[in-house]
Every structure is written in C-alpha cells, then in structure tokens.
C-alpha cells in the first residue's frame, strides 16, 4: 500500500470558482517533462484539468466505478478543493465477457451523465473514455499511471462490489500516495456486517433471512408480527395471466437516451459485443429517470405485480415487461437505493390499500429486501471458491440457440430473442426457461454464468453469480436455494401461453414431437439421483419416477 508523506514531494495544483472547471499546474520542471510525453493518460488529464487556475494543493484522487453512481454518497455532500473525482471507461471492464451492446452503452452513458452531474454541482471531475485509456489494460494500471502523474496525497476508492476488482485493488502500491478505502450505505446489510458462512448468526435460507430483515427494518410489520399475519404470499404470486389482467398490462416507460457516440467509441476501440444495437437506450441513466421509473411502476404495475410476477406470454402487447418494475439496472448502478424504492412503494401502498392487496406489495418487497440482499451476502461469503462450484459435475456445451434464439422451442425462442433485442428478461424467464433448460441439458455452469453476465443489462457479478450458479444451476449444491429449480414442460404451460404455439407437444414425453423439457426433466432426475434423492423438496418427483 502507499503511505502518506511530507511536503517535499512533487505536487499538482488545482483551483477555480465553485461550479466552474478548475485547472492544474505542475512545477516548471515537471511541466517541461510532461510537455513531450506522448502518454494518452497524461494528455487526457491535462485536457480535463486545464490551465486556468488559482493555486491550490491537490490532496486526493477519488475513483468512482460504473456501478457506484450514488449521488447520495457522503463524498458528494460538499465540494472539496484539492479533491479530484475520476470516472473511467477501461477496456477490461467492457471485455471480460462479450457484453450486450445495450448493456455497455447503458453503463457508459450513465457514467458520463453522473460525471456531468458532479461537475454541475461544483466538483472537479476527470472523465476518461475508452480513447483516453486505450493503452491501459485494466484499472490498476490506470490508477498507478494517474497517481504517478498527479501525485496526490491520497488515492481513495469505494470498496468494489465485485470480488475480481477488490482482489486487484488489494494489490495496489502507489508509493508515496496513501490508499484509503471506504464503504457505501447502499445496501441494507453493510459489507462489514456480513457474517462468515459458518457463523450461527447467518440464516441458512432466504426466507429466514427475509423475516429477520422485515423485523430489523420494521417493514410490513405490526408490532412484532407480519402485517396480515403472514410473512410470505408467494403462493398467491404464481398466477397465469387472466383476460382481465391482460387488459391492464401497461406499456413500459422507455427513456430515449442517445448513445450514438458511445457505439462509435466502442467500435473504434474494437470492443466485441453481442445483441441488437440501438441508438437510443431505454433504461434510466440518471437518478431523475430512476425516480420516474419508480413512480411509473407504483401507478401502473404495483396493483398487479405480486399476482402475476411469474406469468409469461408470447401473444400480448408489452409481453416483455408485463407488470415488472425494470428497476434492476438503476439499483445495480446505485442511481437509486433499495431503501428509497421500498419507501416509495410502501407509501403508495398505504395510501391506496383499498385498491392494492397486501400480496402485491409483499411480493415486491421480498424481491428487494429478501432476494437481492441475500444474494449479495452469499456472494461475499463464498467467493472466490463459489465461482468454481460444479456440484452436479456438468460439462456440456451451451446450445447455439442461446446466441441466436433460433429454435423450435417457443419458450426458449421467445426468451432468448427478447433478451437479444432488449438485454432484458424477467426473473421467471431467466430461471425457469433459459436457466431450467441449461441445467436439464447438462451445460457447464461456467458457460451459463458467462451468458447471463453477457446478455442482461442489469448483470453485475455479485447479483448474477449466486442467481445463476446457485439458484438456477444448483452448482453450489444448495447454498443459495434448497432445491434445483427444474421442471418439465408442464410448469411452462401452467404459467404462460408459449406451449399453445409451439412446434412441440407439451403433453407428450417420448414421441418425436414431444416437448424436450419433458424427457430432459426425467432424464435429469435419473442421472443425478445419487446426489438429489434425499432432498425433501424432490421427494414427490422421485416417488413418481419410482412408479413409472
């Protein structure tokens, strides 16, 4: 690690009026040396910091990552002379998997918008795009180069939510520059509060954890009991769309954020992407848009969300979004906090109890307060070994139709095509369509992880990995979920209308045109019987198998 040093070191000087761009000045000898330097980073820093200034001491460089766009963070409560914020597009971050182009565009657009917001608020900001960082392979090399040039007293960063970056930052050595790390308060459970996986204080199931969080945060509680005398209304959240509900499906609130320049920059830097390219990103890329999306969800979707959150359809308008909030990107980039979202939906619910049932609001709160927080805890408790888990010893290839959507299976075709087109699918499409099939087909969980991390705009590893490798693929052997989430075609037919227009017959098990989910389901149970037959939640399927 770097260390704090005295006043004999080289310095950069900053200054300027509040709200205006500020400049930097090196001592004359250092300036002369830099003048002939062809380093892209040095040129970029000089461009951003300018030459008009009032002499001030540069005390700190603070790094903001692409999923740390939280304007409510304590860093930004006031402007600090001598503090520079750095936001950077780095090649490694857009190439560690082949990201959906809409995902990359949304992240980079949100980062740039956040930088503009900070500048307007009077902060000094360096925004380095892919052109600026073209010769920097990763964040650590960039940080070293910037700190070597600017020579700040301190380099400070918020603890990354991804293990890969945290491990890399732990190796940083910046010589005379002291390194400081802080945590955010975005999540309900702070990183330091996460117990070890062996601790008796850690609930072993999401449901137990969720109930504890309801009590701790006093959410949907009456004294020490759950509102309505029930903790969980999941049994009410598994309804197929009714004719009446179909008429209530709202059009999604799509924003029109132009990313033409971002697309050009990605191509200029030879960044490989996947998915359908669109000049306008419809996701929220700033806090104002995120707040609008919360409000829109409350008004148009919350009254029906819980009941139909697991439903699927291929025939209705707006079938991709149905009653879902589509807030995951805004949450995972920290444009808005889970506390704010839950507070907003609770307020809306309490003002309209006559028109919104408790099962609707509870189903939504469970997703954020329960699953989202529990997923992050599982991630940090078990990394880095979690990423290597393969409990069922699966090593099959990922079918080509995951990249094209070209298959006769209607459910897979719909879910994959939608994902390629919009970088979005709701949780049941991910879990019980694409995830279910991959598990039944014996696909290597490494390949499944990469696909989910690539294709969805909201996919950040702490959220994606436990949901994919754990809940979807059961590769962790039951850490995340209490059973493999598998089904035959019967479940798909029960929850949607895909099967009505499918080439295959969902009621057939062995004929040439029988639904592939059926034969794969029973084959899976047979193949993994030694490892799964004692699982109580699979007792009925195994009894049925024994009677065949």
């Amino acid at each position: 690690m770097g260390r704090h040093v005295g006043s004999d070191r080289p310095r950069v000087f900053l200054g300027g009026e509040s709200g205006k761009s500020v400049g930097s000045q090196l001592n004359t000898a250092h300036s002369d040396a830099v003048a002939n330097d062809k380093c892209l980073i040095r040129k970029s820093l000089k461009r951003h910091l300018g030459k008009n200034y009032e002499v001030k001491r540069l005390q700190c460089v603070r790094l903001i990552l692409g999923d740390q766009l939280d304007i409510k963070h304590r860093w930004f409560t006031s402007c600090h002379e001598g503090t520079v914020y750095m936001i950077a597009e780095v090649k490694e971050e857009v190439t560690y998997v082949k990201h959906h182009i809409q995902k990359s565009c949304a992240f980079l657009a949100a980062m740039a918008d956040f930088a503009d917001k900070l500048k307007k608020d009077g902060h000094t900001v360096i925004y380095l795009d892919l052109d600026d960082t073209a010769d920097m392979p990763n964040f650590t090399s960039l940080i070293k180069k910037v700190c070597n040039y600017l020579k700040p007293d301190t380099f400070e960063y918020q603890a990354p939510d991804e293990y890969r970056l945290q491990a890399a930052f732990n190796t940083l050595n910046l010589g005379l520059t002291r390194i400081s790390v802080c945590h955010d308060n975005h999540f309900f459970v702070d990183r330091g509060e996460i117990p070890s996986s062996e601790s008796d204080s850690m609930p072993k199931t999401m449901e137990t954890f969720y109930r504890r969080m309801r009590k701790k945060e006093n959410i949907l509680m009456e004294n020490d009991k759950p509102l309505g005398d029930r903790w969980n209304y999941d049994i009410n959240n598994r309804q197929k769309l009714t004719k009446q509900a179909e008429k209530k499906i709202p059009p999604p609130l799509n924003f029109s954020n132009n990313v033409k320049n971002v697309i050009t920059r990605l191509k200029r830097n030879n960044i490989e992407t996947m998915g359908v390219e669109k000049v306008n990103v419809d996701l929220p890329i700033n806090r104002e848009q995120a707040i609008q999306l919360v409000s829109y969800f409350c008004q148009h979707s919350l009254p029906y969300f819980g009941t139909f959150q697991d439903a699927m359809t291929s025939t209705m308008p707006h079938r991709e979004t149905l009653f879902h909030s589509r807030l995951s990107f805004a949450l995972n980039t920290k444009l808005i906090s889970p506390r704010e979202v839950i507070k907003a939906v609770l307020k809306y619910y309490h003002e309209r109890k006559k028109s919104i049932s408790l099962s609707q609001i509870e189903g939504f709160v469970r997703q954020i307060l329960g699953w989202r927080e529990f997923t992050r805890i599982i991630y940090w408790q078990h990394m880095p070994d979690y990423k290597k888990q393969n409990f069922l010893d699966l090593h099959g290839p990922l079918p080509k139709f995951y990249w094209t959507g070209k298959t006769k299976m209607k459910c897979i075709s719909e879910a994959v095509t939608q994902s390629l087109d919009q970088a979005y699918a709701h949780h049941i499409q991910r879990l019980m369509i694409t995830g279910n099939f991959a598990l039944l087909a014996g696909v290597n969980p490494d390949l499944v992880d990469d696909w989910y991390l690539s294709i969805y705009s909201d996919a950040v590893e702490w959220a994606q990995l436990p949901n994919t490798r754990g809940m979807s693929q059961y590769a962790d052997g039951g850490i995340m979920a209490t059973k493999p989430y598998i089904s035959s075609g019967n479940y798909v037919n029960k929850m949607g209308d895909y099967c009505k227009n499918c080439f295959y017959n969902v009621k057939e098990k062995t004929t040439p045109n029988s639904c592939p989910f059926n034969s794969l389901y029973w084959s899976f149970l047979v193949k993994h019987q030694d490892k799964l037959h004692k699982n109580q939640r699979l007792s009925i399927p195994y009894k049925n198998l024994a009677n065949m």
Side-chain angles (χ1 to χ4, degrees), residues 64 67-74 76 114 158 184-186 287 333-337 340:
I64 303 170
D67 61 350
Q68 296 176 340
L69 311 181
D70 179 10
I71 200 64
K72 297 292 186 179
H73 191 275
R74 62 175 178 79
F76 313 122
F114 192 73
Q158 299 174 40
D184 59 48
N185 60 353
H186 173 82
R287 178 172 173 79
T333 51
K334 300 188 178 72
L335 293 173
I336 195 167
S337 76
E340 291 176 293

Side-chain angles (χ1 to χ4, degrees), residues 100 102 275-276 278 319-320 401-407 409-425 429 434 451 455-456:
H100 197 299
Q102 292 176 42
V276 176
K278 295 182 180 180
R319 60 185 179 274
E320 299 89 355
F401 52 69
Y402 274 75
W403 302 100
T404 65
K406 295 179 180 179
T407 172
M409 289 180 285
K410 182 67 172 177
C411 58
I412 295 284
S413 177
E414 285 284 327
V416 172
T417 300
Q418 171 189 322
S419 301
L420 291 168
D421 184 62
Q422 300 187 15
Y424 173 80
Q429 290 175 306
T434 52
W451 186 79
I455 200 167
Y456 293 117

Side-chain angles (χ1 to χ4, degrees), residues 132-395:
D132 298 325
T133 65
D135 57 353
M136 293 290 104
N138 50 44
F139 262 118
T140 53
S141 60
L142 173 64
I143 292 165
K144 289 177 182 178
K145 182 70 74 172
V146 169
C147 288
N148 181 59
Y149 178 57
L150 296 181
K151 308 247 187 273
D153 288 339
T154 303
F155 169 74
E156 189 171 7
Y157 66 93
Q158 299 174 40
D161 286 315
E162 185 172 344
Y163 183 89
R164 174 182 59 89
L165 282 178
Q166 183 64 72
F169 288 3
N170 286 343
T171 68
L172 276 174
N173 187 329
L174 301 179
L176 298 178
T177 295
R178 184 173 65 90
I179 298 173
S180 177
V181 59
C182 68
H183 293 275
D184 59 48
N185 60 353
H186 173 82
F187 296 94
F188 283 95
V189 180
D190 292 335
R191 178 87 66 83
E193 296 176 343
I194 297 177
S196 70
S197 57
E198 293 78 22
S199 173
D200 291 337
S201 66
M202 176 60 195
K204 302 304 179 185
T205 65
M206 193 288 293
E207 182 64 24
T208 305
F209 168 79
Y210 170 57
R211 295 182 184 190
R212 179 181 295 184
M213 292 300 295
R214 288 266 298 272
K215 292 178 180 179
K216 177 186 174 184
E217 301 294 333
N218 192 30
I219 292 175
L220 294 178
M221 298 293 295
E222 281 185 331
N223 299 318
D224 61 343
K225 294 184 178 181
L227 193 65
D229 290 325
R230 282 176 59 184
W231 288 104
N232 190 313
Y233 287 81
D234 186 53
I235 195 170
N236 301 102
N237 300 156
R238 306 170 187 172
Q239 302 300 309
K240 193 172 186 174
L241 285 170
T242 62
K243 293 294 183 182
Q244 184 177 5
E246 289 175 351
K247 298 176 183 179
K248 301 291 185 179
I249 298 173
L253 175 60
N254 289 330
F255 300 97
S256 185
N257 297 303
N258 189 286
V259 291
K260 183 178 181 180
N261 290 338
V262 178
I263 294 172
T264 300
R265 190 159 67 250
L266 289 168
K267 292 180 177 179
R268 185 166 59 241
N269 285 275
N270 300 313
I271 306 301
E272 292 188 17
T273 59
M274 52 92 71
V276 176
E277 176 185 309
K278 295 182 180 180
V279 174
N280 292 304
V281 165
D282 59 15
L283 293 165
I285 63 166
N286 54 51
R287 178 172 173 79
E288 291 71 27
Q289 290 180 351
I291 291 172
Q292 288 179 50
L293 193 56
V294 174
S295 178
Y296 189 87
F297 168 72
C298 289
Q299 294 177 46
H300 300 280
S301 298
L302 181 60
Y304 309 96
F305 171 79
T307 302
F308 303 109
Q309 64 175 295
D310 289 1
M312 299 175 285
T313 179
S314 63
T315 60
M316 297 304 300
H318 321 308
R319 60 185 179 274
E320 299 89 355
T321 51
L322 300 179
F323 299 107
H324 293 273
S325 71
R326 296 166 62 241
L327 283 165
S328 50
F329 177 82
L331 282 165
N332 291 351
T333 51
K334 300 188 178 72
L335 293 173
I336 195 167
S337 76
R339 281 185 174 84
E340 291 176 293
V341 172
I342 289 179
K343 182 179 179 180
V345 296
L346 287 175
K347 182 177 184 295
Y348 195 87
Y349 163 72
H350 284 300
E351 291 173 351
R352 297 165 178 81
K353 284 185 178 181
K354 292 183 179 180
S355 59
I356 304 175
S357 67
L358 181 57
S359 65
Q360 315 301 334
I361 185 69
E362 188 280 320
F364 184 76
V365 167
R366 187 177 352 114
Q367 295 293 326
I368 297 179
L369 183 65
W371 282 115
R372 188 171 187 265
E373 295 286 324
F374 187 70
T375 294
R376 175 171 169 268
I377 289 173
I378 294 296
Y379 178 81
W380 282 108
Q381 282 185 330
H382 296 277
M383 284 294 284
D385 293 339
Y386 196 83
K387 202 168 183 177
K388 303 172 185 176
Q389 304 251 11
N390 192 351
F391 175 70
L392 297 174
D393 196 29
L394 304 179
H395 300 280

